[in-house]
Amino acid sequence: MSQSSEDSLDGRAETRPAASGGPFLQVRGLRVHFPTDDGVVKSVDDLSFSVERGKTLGIVGESGSGKSVTSLSIMGLHKPGTADITGEILLDGQNLVGMNREKVRLLRGKRMAMIFQDPLSAMHPFYTVGTQIIEAYRIHNKVTKAVARKHAIDLLDRVGIPSPKSRVDDYPHQFSGGMRQRAMIAMALSCDPELLIADEPTTALDVTVQAQILDLIRDLQQEFNSAVVIITHDLGVVAELADDIMVMYAGRAVEYSTAADIFNSPQHPYTWGLLGSMPRLDRERTERLQPIKGTPPSLINVPTGCPFNPRCAYAGLNSDLSFTVRPEFRDVGGGHHIACHLSAEERTRIWDTEIKPKL
Amino acid sequence: MSTQTENPTADRRLGEDLLVVEGLQKYFPIRKGLLQKTVANVQAVDGLTFTVKRGETLSLVGESGCGKTTTGRLLTRLVEPTDGTITLEGRDISHLSNSAMRPLRRDIQMIFQDPYGSLNPRHTVGTIVGAPFRLQKVKTPNGIKKEVQDLLELVGLNPEHYNRYPHEFSGGQRQRIGIARTLALKPKLIVADEPVSALDVSIQAQVVNLLEDLQSEFDLTYVMIAHDLSVVRHVSDRVAVMYLGKIMEIADRTSLYERPMHPYTVALLSAVPIPDTNRRENRERIRLQGDVPSPINPPKGCRFHTRCWKAQDVCKTTEPPLAQLAPGHAVACHFPENKDSLTIDPTGAAV
């Protein structure tokens, strides 16, 4: 253990100088492919994005869009040998792709941490909540058990667990769903991580608890100035938290811009579809929802051209382009990126006349 | 859906009470010791009274542990109530035996939440959707296969998928298979327990639209159990808000969402994240503290008083009755919100 803690100190010393300027997390041309008997599953295919300190990126997409695979790649949690990962994941200038697993392990907890969707399976049922928080803290900090325990109690108090002094010795099953989620957030925050990835942090929770957890993530981010990546399928959640939003479909980014842009002037037909699919409390009730037809594609046989073309109502508007050529992910003005063949005039016309009035 | 005998009176009776629930109660005993003495009860459902009209959709909403799923299981008589009555079309079904209940099962069907757990992985779609016909010994003039294929087409699946197994379908398609099975015997009442919460957003909208289309085509009556308040507003005619086994507020959709009276409803609605970045700054949100108390030992008086910001001494001692404060709008609260906007004098209110 002494060997590895030295490594961690060295690792920190190496990376500190690089910390000046540039986004804290930068992903460039990331591809995550899983070879299977049926063919190669292209879960993430040429993905690029970045997050600065103190900012929140929301990644939105349906199941199978590659959002969770992306976060597991950043954390280095894919089982060795199962995934082909290429491209670059730069954490404070340090490339994590191809890095020694032991080195990545030392970055986890301290420099980056993750909140998982299901706290019951993410926590070990055999150990008390306190033990699990203390373990993480003592790996990165040379402190006595008593100090670490005090730290764990402080954290539980911080995330709003009632009577943390006694609850620290409880087992995960003795906590309610919302409390378990908070305990996991406490665990993720135990070493003040600089990058926090939250994968569907509130999906399993009731709306009142969800509101508490979102407030908590927001407060903690302001306090520690961390970079946060929040992964969800709920557009309401990202509207509450995110500065920037990336919409993913079939392992690729299809739209990327500021949160305000995504909600006020979305430009990709898939984003229009997502917005039309959700019933909204803040608008007049519409008679019918406007779902996206069909289902997401298989990632082994991604449709040629634009992967969204079988479900897109506007795929035929530009001769055969959508069916043959993969649209480039490009800047269409002011940092608003989309991957779509429709011309700017057509997009504006469709959004103003067909989509916006029906939302 | 061509073969079974049409119910010729269904149209005429649209709007009358199909299901009447009075004082419904379900306690699950906690037994301990050698003699398995009952030491306490989980008061899952404690005195529900409501009616469901033919052709309408009533939604039950609330946080986990509020008893909404137990209510659904009571209505379908998968569990037997401890007390109270469930009356379907004038017939008391609360304590019918399994064999007496069996012929009625075709009238009450259920859609389950988990499209993975609710279909037998070893049976083909044909077997799954055809099972109700076999179990209820319903005569199908053109054969069960034809009937099943009609049903599959009705819910938007390819009839040729008759011989496939559940694992070959996506979550949304599986939910459609479950819906086809539910519709097979033309039930009068469908209890849908979180029918869309396990589905992706785009698929969720497809299934919501399908449920609505089927309702208008076959005059179906739904009791929808859900926690997503946006979806509930979209599908429901009336909404009942539950907390710790009791109804806190029941009203038609418009009144409940525009003039919620119970503080709990107000808090629930304010907690829903709104997909609009412009609203982020100026939203007033009521933060409820803590978790739902244990249903083994629920708070005395009003069950919500431990988390309510309006609670006063009377709330800790006296339980407020579910009183009708406006036409079709009943609330169980001593100090209801939005009372000023009422046009009638709330004489029925307690205190």
Side-chain angles (χ1 to χ4, degrees):
Chain A
M1 228 29 229
S2 65
Q3 175 68 38
S4 47
S5 51
E6 269 174 44
D7 273 1
S8 98
L9 289 172
D10 289 344
R12 285 189 69 93
E14 267 172 38
T15 52
R16 274 301 168 198
S20 59
F24 184 69
L25 173 73
Q26 212 171 354
V27 174
R28 288 195 209 136
L30 180 70
R31 285 172 209 267
V32 186
H33 293 181
F34 297 91
T36 68
D37 292 345
D38 299 327
V40 177
V41 179
K42 297 176 180 171
S43 290
V44 178
D45 207 10
D46 198 6
L47 186 71
S48 302
F49 62 88
S50 59
V51 197
E52 286 171 33
R53 275 175 210 272
K55 294 282 180 194
T56 303
L57 171 73
I59 302 183
V60 183
E62 293 177 90
S63 18
S65 63
K67 48 196 200 313
S68 292
V69 170
T70 306
S71 63
L72 292 177
S73 310
I74 297 170
M75 296 291 293
L77 291 177
H78 285 302
K79 208 172 152 195
T82 55
D84 288 343
I85 306 177
T86 54
E88 285 184 332
I89 300 171
L90 301 173
L91 186 80
D92 210 5
Q94 215 180 357
N95 192 359
L96 303 183
V97 176
M99 190 192 256
N100 182 304
R101 288 182 62 78
E102 194 57 23
K103 268 190 151 177
V104 178
R105 193 174 76 83
L106 292 164
L107 295 174
R108 275 200 296 269
K110 187 88 190 164
R111 307 218 74 189
M112 56 184 183
M114 186 155 171
I115 302 171
F116 295 90
Q117 174 175 2
D118 178 4
L120 197 56
S121 50
M123 294 182 98
H124 201 299
F126 190 76
Y127 297 103
T128 64
V129 171
T131 312
Q132 299 183 53
I133 300 177
I134 291 168
E135 182 197 9
Y137 188 61
R138 290 194 71 208
I139 286 176
H140 295 285
N141 297 280
K142 285 192 168 169
V143 293
T144 60
K145 273 188 185 162
V147 174
R149 186 183 157 84
K150 173 83 178 39
H151 183 70
I153 293 171
D154 287 349
L155 274 169
L156 289 178
D157 190 34
R158 197 59 242 287
V159 297
I161 303 276
S163 49
K165 267 189 189 141
S166 56
R167 300 311 292 255
V168 73
D169 293 322
D170 278 358
Y171 289 90
H173 76 268
Q174 291 169 295
F175 278 27
S176 72
M179 280 162 66
R180 271 199 294 267
Q181 194 69 2
R182 274 179 246 202
M184 197 165 61
I185 292 178
M187 205 191 295
L189 294 170
S190 63
C191 302
D192 308 342
E194 292 155 276
L195 170 69
L196 181 67
I197 300 177
D199 189 356
E200 304 269 9
T202 59
T203 306
L205 304 175
D206 284 317
V207 4
T208 51
V209 184
Q210 166 171 296
Q212 293 168 1
I213 299 286
L214 294 182
D215 284 344
L216 181 67
I217 294 178
R218 192 183 298 129
D219 293 350
L220 294 168
Q221 177 185 29
Q222 276 169 7
E223 191 175 321
F224 299 118
N225 198 34
S226 349
V228 175
V229 177
I230 184 158
I231 295 166
T232 175
H233 66 271
D234 187 337
L235 288 165
V237 170
V238 286
E240 296 267 332
L241 278 185
D243 299 298
D244 294 321
I245 293 176
M246 177 166 74
V247 183
M248 284 186 74
Y249 187 78
R252 304 160 194 203
V254 294
E255 185 157 10
Y256 182 35
S257 189
T258 61
D261 265 0
I262 294 282
F263 285 103
N264 299 331
S265 55
Q267 305 228 18
H268 196 283
Y270 179 61
T271 316
W272 298 339
L274 284 183
L275 289 168
S277 299
M278 322 174 32
R280 296 175 62 156
L281 279 187
D282 59 329
R283 302 275 168 89
E284 284 291 301
R285 181 179 171 274
T286 49
E287 266 317 303
R288 268 183 94 70
L289 298 174
Q290 311 287 326
I292 308 171
K293 65 179 184 191
T295 49
S298 148
L299 293 172
I300 295 177
N301 273 318
V302 180
T304 50
C306 172
F308 188 57
N309 77 55
R311 306 178 73 189
C312 182
Y314 311 102
L317 285 184
N318 34 40
S319 59
D320 265 354
L321 217 53
S322 296
F323 301 101
T324 50
V325 182
R326 178 170 166 174
E328 198 191 336
F329 189 59
R330 62 188 198 283
D331 194 337
V332 292
H336 196 139
H337 285 68
I338 58 162
C340 181
H341 286 304
L342 290 175
S343 66
E345 302 83 62
E346 271 173 325
R347 288 196 308 268
T348 318
R349 178 186 63 80
I350 295 169
W351 167 248
D352 285 339
T353 60
E354 293 182 32
I355 310 294
K356 206 175 167 190
K358 282 190 197 160
L359 289 183
Chain B
M1 298 299 288
S2 51
T3 49
Q4 284 173 60
T5 49
E6 292 285 331
N7 186 350
T9 49
D11 290 292
R12 262 178 278 144
R13 292 188 296 179
L14 213 62
E16 73 180 37
D17 291 348
L18 174 73
L19 182 79
V20 179
V21 174
E22 269 174 68
L24 189 66
Q25 201 178 59
K26 180 66 193 176
Y27 286 4
F28 294 100
I30 302 171
R31 297 181 205 276
K32 272 206 176 129
L34 187 64
L35 298 173
Q36 292 291 293
K37 237 173 83 181
T38 302
V39 290
N41 285 303
V42 176
Q43 304 176 18
V45 170
D46 199 8
L48 298 187
T49 299
F50 60 87
T51 57
V52 185
K53 294 188 173 62
R54 205 179 288 275
E56 78 167 352
T57 303
L58 172 76
S59 288
L60 305 175
V61 298
E63 292 173 273
S64 29
C66 73
K68 51 192 198 299
T69 295
T70 304
T71 309
R73 295 171 68 85
L74 284 166
L75 297 183
T76 46
R77 274 304 316 280
L78 294 174
V79 288
E80 192 173 351
T82 312
D83 197 14
T85 58
I86 305 167
T87 316
L88 182 77
E89 292 191 304
R91 184 167 175 199
D92 185 350
I93 61 164
S94 2
H95 299 285
L96 288 185
S97 66
N98 276 344
S99 54
M101 195 59 213
R102 192 158 296 127
L104 290 174
R105 294 252 176 242
R106 68 169 69 179
D107 291 339
I108 312 173
Q109 287 284 321
M110 192 149 181
I111 300 173
F112 296 94
Q113 171 173 12
D114 179 5
Y116 294 84
S118 55
L119 304 178
N120 187 333
R122 289 173 184 272
H123 286 178
T124 63
V125 171
T127 316
I128 290 169
V129 179
F133 296 111
R134 280 186 284 274
L135 291 172
Q136 291 277 345
K137 301 190 175 61
V138 174
K139 289 210 171 58
T140 45
N142 303 320
I144 289 179
K145 184 174 175 182
K146 174 81 178 65
E147 204 66 40
V148 169
Q149 291 185 328
D150 287 349
L151 281 165
L152 290 179
E153 199 157 8
L154 184 74
V155 297
L157 291 171
N158 188 341
E160 286 160 22
H161 292 170
Y162 181 86
N163 276 323
R164 294 202 181 178
Y165 287 90
H167 74 263
E168 297 173 68
F169 295 89
S170 68
Q173 289 172 319
R174 284 166 187 239
Q175 200 58 313
R176 287 172 193 266
I177 296 169
I179 293 172
R181 176 176 60 185
T182 304
L183 289 173
L185 299 172
K186 292 201 147 190
K188 290 170 181 150
L189 176 70
I190 294 180
V191 177
D193 190 353
E194 303 270 14
V196 298
S197 58
L199 308 175
D200 270 319
V201 193
S202 71
I203 310 299
Q204 194 171 339
Q206 293 174 358
V207 173
V208 165
N209 281 350
L210 172 67
L211 288 173
E212 289 190 327
D213 292 344
L214 293 172
Q215 180 169 42
S216 53
E217 197 173 339
F218 301 110
D219 296 326
L220 297 173
T221 308
Y222 291 132
V223 171
M224 202 80 84
I225 296 161
H227 71 277
D228 184 331
L229 291 156
S230 324
V231 171
V232 165
R233 182 177 85 149
H234 189 84
V235 299
S236 318
D237 297 302
R238 288 192 305 137
V239 182
V241 179
M242 289 181 68
Y243 187 77
L244 273 180
K246 287 193 181 287
I247 291 181
M248 294 281 135
E249 180 162 13
I250 180 165
D252 61 89
R253 175 184 69 222
T254 319
S255 333
L256 190 99
Y257 280 87
E258 285 172 15
R259 294 180 299 281
M261 290 193 194
H262 200 287
Y264 180 58
T265 315
V266 175
L268 275 185
L269 287 173
S270 80
V272 177
I274 301 291
D276 185 348
T277 48
N278 305 327
R279 298 223 180 174
R280 204 188 293 187
E281 301 305 325
N282 49 20
R283 272 190 78 203
E284 200 176 317
R285 179 184 283 162
I286 297 155
R287 298 185 188 193
L288 285 186
Q289 295 303 315
D291 288 318
V292 183
S294 157
I296 297 170
N297 191 11
K300 297 261 180 311
C302 174
R303 293 194 168 184
F304 185 56
H305 84 253
T306 51
R307 299 171 81 196
C308 185
W309 67 97
K310 296 184 88 181
Q312 300 191 13
D313 286 345
V314 61
C315 304
K316 291 174 191 158
T317 51
T318 319
E319 186 177 334
L322 189 66
Q324 184 153 334
L325 299 191
H329 195 147
V331 188
C333 182
H334 293 300
F335 307 101
E337 299 265 313
N338 289 319
K339 220 169 143 187
D340 311 335
S341 60
L342 293 183
T343 46
I344 60 155
D345 184 34
T347 41
V351 182

